[in-house]
Amino acid sequence: MEAREARMDSAFDHGLAVPQVRGKLRRRLVPGLLRARAILYGILAIILVIAFTLAVSVVFLRIKGAGDLLITLWPAYAFVLAGYLATRGFKDRKLWAFGLAMTVGVLLAGLGVALVLGVMGVSGGDGNKAFAVVLLGLIFVGFGLPLTWSLTGSRRWFTELRGAEGPAIRTADVLEQEVTVADLVIHPGAVPAVAMTVAPTVAMTEGERHGNVDPLVSVRGLKKHFPIVGGLLRRQIGTIYAVDGVDFDIYPGEVFSLVGESGCGKTTLGRTLLQLTPPTDGRVVFNGLELEDVDPDDMRPLRRKMQIIFQDPFGSLNPRMPVSDIIGEGLFAQGITNRAERDKRVEDSLEIVGLRRDYTRRFPHEFSGGQRQRIGVARALALNPDFVVCDEPVSALDVSIQSQVLNLLLDLKRDLNLTYLFISHNLSVVEYFSDRIGVMYLGKIAEEGTVEELYRNPRHPYTVALLSAIPDPDPRKRRKRLVLKGDVPSPAAPPSGCRFHTRCWLRERLGNPEQCSTVEPVLRVLDDTGHRAACHFAEEINEAVVQETAATQSVLETAVAG
Amino acid sequence: MTEVLAAPGPVGAPPDRDVLLEVRSLRTYFKVLDGIVPAVDDISFSLKRGQTLGIVGESGSGKSVTALTIMRLLDIPPASIGDGSEVWFDGREILSMPLDEMRKIRGNDAAMIFQEPLTSLNPVFTIGDQIAEQVELHLKIKKRAAMDRAIESLQLVGIPSPERRVKQYPHEMSGGMRQRVMIAMALSCEPKLLIADEPTTALDVTIQAQILELLKSIQQRTGSALLLITHDLGVVAEMVDNVIVMYTGQIVEQGTVHEVLLEPRDPYTMGLLESIPSVEKRGGRLSAIKGVVPSPFNLPPACRFEPRCPYAWDRCRTVPPDLNRVGSGGHLARCHLHTSEGAGRLPDALQRHRTALNLGRTLPTGGH
């Protein structure tokens, strides 16, 4: 908890208010703890079974010989095996595997005992003995099944044991009531609301500019690192800093865009924000709810409110599923198990995106690229989300189709009151589509601001170069571009200091100040509009400087050994 | 590779000396299971020495097939080239030329840069070997001299420390670097014609800027002609003198880059330009071209753009339009609006285009 407070404080550097947390969700159990619990259960069960078998064998059957004992212990071996298998498969959602292994193991054990001892007459034709053995098998079943039951239900059982945190909202309740996310606060007032605080450098907070509305999504210090494993033992030999400390707010009803080159972490950021991959560090507050290690049972109703449209309309639709299943899968997972009702919802969402209602039985290959992307949109919208991450929704489409899909997204935003996080590398689409933009470079936000500010008055040398690189379809505007040198450095070994300094034209122009390669610039607020840039020399940038630099550049020097 | 050509029929007279490449009523078909696809359907154009020509179109419009046909890189069959098709390159007809003659031209006088630099480079040879191989073959020089030439051409495209780079394999380089290698390879024999098929589509925007600037400077320095194939109207506007717009295998509009991009006269080009998102259109709808590109097996009977065209009338459904002259110069558009029958409708269409281009259609209610 203290670490989290500390991270809250660090947000002050960025001129963003501390996100207001209105409610708390249950935390997911630590995976290690889950596994330890599973192993403990396994061991307990095995000890119990062996002790019980021994007791029964010795007391009831009066077995003295070691051979007899080994045979009688047969179910215990099976149980040991089952327990071993189960603890291996015991990971969070794989509880059912444990239960299944248990059940199968126990049943097999019981049957085995009955067969081996009772039918084949190892017990020497003693009817009583055979009966006792069959009884033993039945006891195993009787003992194993409830244990299995309690274990498969243990997630609920366990959380209910913790009790103090109050009743959890079940998905089914949520669906019946059609509650909004705001109602999903599990214990209102449990956490005192953190007062909005104004960073000293800004005259007006971002919230005030948005009419004192709380942000729908707040991201603070979000990080996602991926391990690079190698060698014989698959040990970690490096880290890819895909997203490395990102802060921003998204307000209800706006389109916030992330732009950047491939590999800058914009897609990873989108996915991490939705908790599709767990973040390495940092906070995401969605509508006043802290999304950090949220218990899957509590996360599921929230997922309805946060959806994603994927980039590739060919890769993101399962070719073996008809449209009704592609769109209906999410509905099913959210508890709409009634086929007729689900089909109706599917047809409704198809209609919303401008496809025909009777397309539900068709397969993805029967559609064109634009239509597929519409199916992707329909899937995201089927659950009435508030917030949609659009991950390059039009990059794979031809120009004439692209504008159809963009129009659709804008219409839906207006009609359904959606908020978008729009991820794209196409700067002209972003300029048309968004309200505010964050420019990403190597896992960090280099500059953030409103469209007007960012395009008219870019304050980060990277943004300037990006904008200069857009090809303009007006041949009268042929101009000398400002071309960046070299390629994006590897996110596994980001440059020291400012991540952009290896390619920066401004640094070169200013005579390579040492600061750039040693001190990491913070994303600081530049003016009243909330324009932020992470550059030590943001004030040095103006149109004249850019023109002059572009004019003196040599194309042949632009490739730098990578 | 089976590369047997159908007899191309009687060959016409060669074009003027200053015309480097002239394509005359070129048709390329593909025989597939479902029937015959006319990938390129009767296109003609010419490219003067040292000039640049852009071919724009959406996927499936036949622009890449045009380039591959010119370079004779298509497998025949399944492809076949229609009777009466002629391609004149540097005063010689190359479709009827024997294959070993063509091999001397390909890579030497006419070189091609492909879209995917990773798949077009051989992963098991160093890039030095790959460049030197063709230099050796075409210029008939020794291996060592060819390698020097390779280093020279890598230097020309701005790759630092080329002596070290020639010993590297394609996987050791980034996308932009590979595309530079492709360009270096194409330039190694100082071609008269450079065909670049979507040279920057797979690249990021900052790398795209590097490559475009590089192509521009090289083209100016060496004076080779450039045939640039792309779907990006922005790239075309920056790079070329003349533009051809293709739709379903046909040329729909042709002219200088200023004519086509600033005063488009074919409804398809108009629609493409209208649908480009820009800051002026913020808060409004983009005017999209309705519908999708028709299937090549089921093309509309007359004008192929008619089902998607906002200006179409009865004539468009019955009479296939020709490439009509627009204005006084060489500006051509395949549309009935520019015939005497459509003249009455033209001012209205242009007005609508201008409105759509500048404003977009405004939304009934404002944004958020």
Side-chain angles (χ1 to χ4, degrees):
Chain A
M1 204 59 198
E2 273 163 29
R4 215 196 276 184
E5 299 288 329
R7 287 205 296 273
M8 280 187 190
D9 291 341
S10 74
F12 283 117
D13 298 345
H14 306 119
L16 293 177
V18 174
Q20 224 165 349
V21 179
R22 288 189 282 105
K24 199 175 159 195
L25 300 163
R26 281 176 307 173
R27 298 287 285 275
R28 176 205 297 272
L29 290 173
V30 188
L33 203 71
L34 278 173
R35 195 167 306 139
R37 198 180 71 189
I39 293 170
L40 192 72
Y41 277 147
I43 294 172
L44 263 178
I46 290 161
I47 291 174
L48 269 173
V49 167
I50 294 177
F52 190 76
T53 319
L54 276 175
V56 168
S57 320
V58 175
V59 176
F60 270 114
L61 309 176
R62 290 187 206 86
I63 290 169
K64 306 241 164 42
D68 268 8
L69 198 64
L70 279 175
I71 295 167
T72 324
L73 278 176
W74 166 248
Y77 312 142
F79 216 30
V80 169
L81 187 70
Y84 170 74
L85 286 176
T87 45
R88 277 186 64 102
F90 200 138
K91 261 190 198 168
D92 191 21
R93 284 271 149 193
K94 290 185 178 159
L95 271 168
W96 61 270
F98 184 71
L100 194 72
M102 282 287 193
T103 317
V104 171
V106 167
L107 286 174
L108 279 178
L111 275 174
V113 169
L115 278 174
V116 171
L117 297 183
V119 180
M120 292 178 69
V122 179
S123 54
D126 185 338
N128 279 337
K129 224 182 230 181
F131 175 72
V133 167
V134 175
L135 194 69
L136 190 71
L138 286 175
I139 289 171
F140 273 126
V141 177
F143 169 73
L145 275 181
L147 178 77
T148 310
W149 184 257
S150 80
L151 280 177
T152 45
S154 70
R155 154 167 300 286
R156 197 130 296 163
W157 181 56
F158 201 75
T159 42
E160 270 151 26
L161 272 187
R162 291 195 302 172
E165 289 185 51
I169 290 186
R170 298 272 170 268
T171 314
D173 305 340
V174 176
L175 289 175
E176 275 161 28
Q177 297 165 12
E178 265 306 319
V179 285
T180 63
V181 183
D183 301 326
L184 289 175
V185 181
I186 287 160
H187 355 263
V191 175
V194 183
M196 296 278 277
T197 327
V198 183
T201 45
V202 222
M204 192 163 55
T205 62
E206 198 63 32
E208 283 166 23
R209 267 189 295 281
H210 288 80
N212 268 330
V213 190
D214 284 343
L216 182 66
V217 181
S218 295
V219 176
R220 295 291 180 277
L222 193 69
K223 289 183 184 173
K224 178 69 192 177
H225 299 170
F226 292 106
I228 311 171
V229 289
L232 200 61
L233 298 172
R234 316 302 300 156
R235 284 170 35 139
Q236 184 171 347
I237 53 170
T239 309
I240 292 191
Y241 301 92
V243 176
D244 202 19
V246 165
D247 318 73
F248 59 84
D249 284 328
I250 303 176
Y251 287 85
E254 77 171 349
V255 180
F256 185 86
S257 291
L258 285 173
V259 290
E261 293 173 274
S262 44
C264 73
K266 45 191 197 305
T267 297
T268 308
L269 176 55
R271 300 177 71 108
T272 313
L273 191 151
L274 292 183
Q275 311 284 313
L276 292 176
T277 55
T280 310
D281 191 19
R283 312 173 63 196
V284 177
V285 178
F286 177 71
N287 206 358
L289 298 173
E290 181 93 44
L291 307 185
E292 191 177 19
D293 280 336
V294 181
D295 186 288
D297 280 352
D298 275 8
M299 195 64 208
R300 201 172 307 120
L302 271 181
R303 293 233 186 265
R304 295 151 36 81
K305 298 293 162 194
M306 311 186 292
Q307 289 289 320
I308 183 164
I309 301 166
F310 292 100
Q311 170 171 13
D312 177 8
F314 294 87
S316 61
L317 304 179
N318 187 336
R320 289 161 187 268
M321 278 192 183
V323 172
S324 58
D325 285 358
I326 289 174
I327 300 176
E329 204 178 15
L331 295 167
F332 187 86
Q334 291 289 348
I336 302 175
T337 42
N338 180 319
R339 178 101 226 178
E341 191 193 340
R342 206 162 67 232
D343 282 349
K344 190 181 169 299
R345 294 274 296 261
V346 170
E347 286 173 17
D348 287 347
S349 58
L350 280 179
E351 200 166 304
I352 289 177
V353 299
L355 293 173
R356 286 168 44 170
R357 292 184 84 94
D358 52 355
Y359 279 173
T360 46
R361 298 315 299 167
R362 297 204 183 178
F363 287 86
H365 72 262
E366 298 175 64
F367 296 96
S368 69
Q371 284 176 317
R372 278 159 178 255
Q373 199 54 291
R374 283 169 191 266
I375 295 171
V377 176
R379 172 169 61 184
L381 296 180
L383 288 157
N384 294 333
D386 292 333
F387 175 63
V388 181
V389 173
C390 310
D391 186 4
E392 306 249 16
V394 294
S395 328
L397 307 174
D398 268 323
V399 192
S400 70
I401 308 299
Q402 175 178 305
S403 48
Q404 292 175 2
V405 174
L406 285 177
N407 277 341
L408 172 73
L409 288 174
L410 277 183
D411 288 350
L412 292 172
K413 170 178 172 290
R414 191 194 55 211
D415 297 343
L416 306 174
N417 285 324
L418 299 175
T419 304
Y420 287 140
L421 173 65
F422 190 81
I423 298 170
S424 179
H425 65 268
N426 187 330
L427 288 137
S428 29
V429 168
V430 163
E431 186 182 20
Y432 164 75
F433 200 75
S434 29
D435 299 312
R436 286 192 304 127
I437 298 175
V439 179
M440 279 190 80
Y441 187 76
L442 272 184
K444 289 210 166 221
I445 289 192
E447 185 168 2
E448 190 213 302
T450 59
V451 173
E452 292 77 16
E453 270 298 306
L454 204 97
Y455 278 75
R456 304 292 157 266
N457 185 19
R459 285 307 189 78
H460 193 285
Y462 179 62
T463 317
V464 172
L466 267 187
L467 294 176
S468 167
I470 312 175
D472 194 317
D474 188 340
R476 288 169 302 190
K477 291 189 191 155
R478 280 192 198 191
R479 66 200 189 288
K480 187 87 178 139
R481 305 153 173 286
L482 201 153
V483 181
L484 282 185
K485 289 183 175 185
D487 297 312
V488 185
S490 159
S496 63
C498 174
R499 294 183 172 213
F500 185 59
H501 84 262
T502 50
R503 299 172 79 195
C504 185
W505 53 270
L506 184 65
R507 171 172 177 260
E508 209 162 81
R509 198 184 152 82
L510 296 174
N512 297 332
E514 203 188 315
Q515 205 179 349
C516 292
S517 53
T518 50
V519 184
E520 183 159 358
V522 289
L523 191 59
R524 60 199 166 99
V525 179
L526 297 171
D527 58 25
D528 250 13
T529 62
H531 194 159
R532 303 187 295 156
C535 178
H536 296 304
F537 302 101
E539 282 77 13
E540 305 283 332
I541 298 174
N542 59 51
E543 189 58 28
V545 171
V546 174
Q547 293 293 339
E548 207 177 299
T549 315
T552 51
Q553 242 177 3
S554 158
V555 188
L556 291 185
E557 285 166 13
T558 53
V560 168
Chain B
M1 189 154 95
T2 43
E3 207 174 349
V4 188
L5 277 175
V11 170
D16 290 344
R17 282 286 303 152
D18 63 335
V19 174
L20 179 69
L21 177 75
E22 182 157 320
V23 173
R24 295 181 188 160
S25 52
L26 181 71
R27 291 166 204 266
T28 308
Y29 303 99
F30 287 101
K31 288 203 182 77
V32 291
L33 276 181
D34 295 343
I36 292 174
V37 179
V40 177
D41 198 3
D42 194 7
I43 72 167
S44 307
F45 62 85
S46 68
L47 174 61
K48 291 197 174 121
R49 286 173 203 277
Q51 279 208 324
T52 50
L53 173 71
I55 301 184
V56 222
E58 291 179 279
S59 34
S61 62
K63 49 193 198 306
S64 290
V65 177
T66 306
L68 293 173
T69 315
I70 293 171
M71 293 295 274
R72 286 185 58 183
L73 285 170
L74 286 173
D75 280 352
I76 295 173
S80 64
I81 294 171
D83 293 346
S85 304
E86 286 176 30
V87 175
W88 289 85
F89 175 74
D90 207 10
R92 300 160 76 189
E93 209 288 315
I94 57 177
L95 288 183
S96 58
M97 191 178 268
L99 201 57
D100 35 343
E101 285 284 305
M102 185 62 211
R103 283 211 188 98
K104 282 180 195 148
I105 290 178
R106 206 193 285 143
N108 192 13
D109 291 333
M112 190 155 169
I113 303 168
F114 295 92
Q115 177 174 358
E116 289 279 338
L118 187 58
T119 48
S120 346
L121 289 169
N122 191 330
V124 298
F125 288 101
T126 64
I127 59 159
D129 283 341
Q130 295 185 53
I131 301 176
E133 184 192 13
Q134 62 165 2
V135 176
E136 224 178 310
L137 279 173
H138 286 304
L139 304 184
K140 309 265 185 307
I141 53 177
K142 287 268 171 347
K143 174 97 185 174
R144 184 165 304 234
M147 201 53 115
D148 289 344
R149 187 75 181 243
I151 293 173
E152 223 170 85
S153 55
L154 285 182
Q155 209 152 22
L156 185 74
V157 296
I159 292 183
S161 52
E163 307 79 18
R164 195 166 56 85
R165 289 281 171 178
V166 286
K167 298 193 189 88
Q168 290 189 325
Y169 290 88
H171 74 265
E172 296 176 71
M173 305 190 146
S174 66
M177 214 59 111
R178 282 187 212 125
Q179 197 56 285
R180 280 171 193 266
V181 170
M182 286 296 293
I183 296 173
M185 193 182 280
L187 291 174
S188 58
C189 297
E190 291 171 3
K192 295 172 186 150
L193 172 67
L194 189 61
I195 300 179
D197 185 2
E198 305 260 13
T200 58
T201 307
L203 305 175
D204 271 318
V205 65
T206 58
I207 311 297
Q208 162 170 304
Q210 288 177 5
I211 298 295
L212 291 183
E213 291 295 324
L214 177 70
L215 273 177
K216 245 192 263 182
S217 78
I218 281 173
Q219 202 254 336
Q220 278 163 11
R221 213 153 10 127
T222 60
S224 63
L226 176 70
L227 180 62
L228 180 77
I229 294 166
T230 178
H231 67 275
D232 189 335
L233 293 168
V235 171
V236 162
E238 302 240 341
M239 297 288 294
V240 301
D241 307 323
N242 294 303
V243 186
I244 288 173
V245 183
M246 286 186 75
Y247 185 73
T248 61
Q250 289 180 326
I251 293 179
V252 292
E253 184 153 7
Q254 187 173 348
T256 66
V257 69
H258 282 78
E259 284 167 347
V260 174
L261 295 186
L262 298 178
E263 311 258 297
R265 286 297 176 264
D266 184 84
Y268 176 64
T269 323
M270 293 184 198
L272 277 187
L273 284 163
E274 286 162 18
S275 65
I276 295 175
S278 76
V279 71
E280 292 81 22
K281 295 174 190 164
R282 272 174 62 94
R285 288 176 66 94
L286 289 173
S287 65
I289 302 179
K290 65 183 180 192
V292 290
V293 180
S295 149
F297 303 112
N298 195 13
L299 289 171
C303 174
R304 293 180 181 176
F305 188 59
E306 177 270 319
R308 307 177 73 190
C309 181
Y311 316 116
W313 73 100
D314 301 341
R315 189 175 163 81
C316 305
R317 287 173 204 108
T318 47
V319 187
D322 292 324
L323 268 177
N324 297 304
R325 188 172 293 275
V326 181
S328 51
H331 191 180
L332 304 173
R334 190 179 292 278
C335 183
H336 287 309
L337 283 175
H338 305 291
T339 58
S340 49
E341 286 86 353
R345 295 166 185 270
L346 185 62
D348 174 50
L350 292 181
Q351 187 55 46
R352 275 163 72 188
H353 164 61
R354 242 170 263 134
T355 320
L357 191 63
N358 293 331
L359 299 169
R361 271 174 288 144
T362 25
L363 290 171
T365 51
H368 60 275

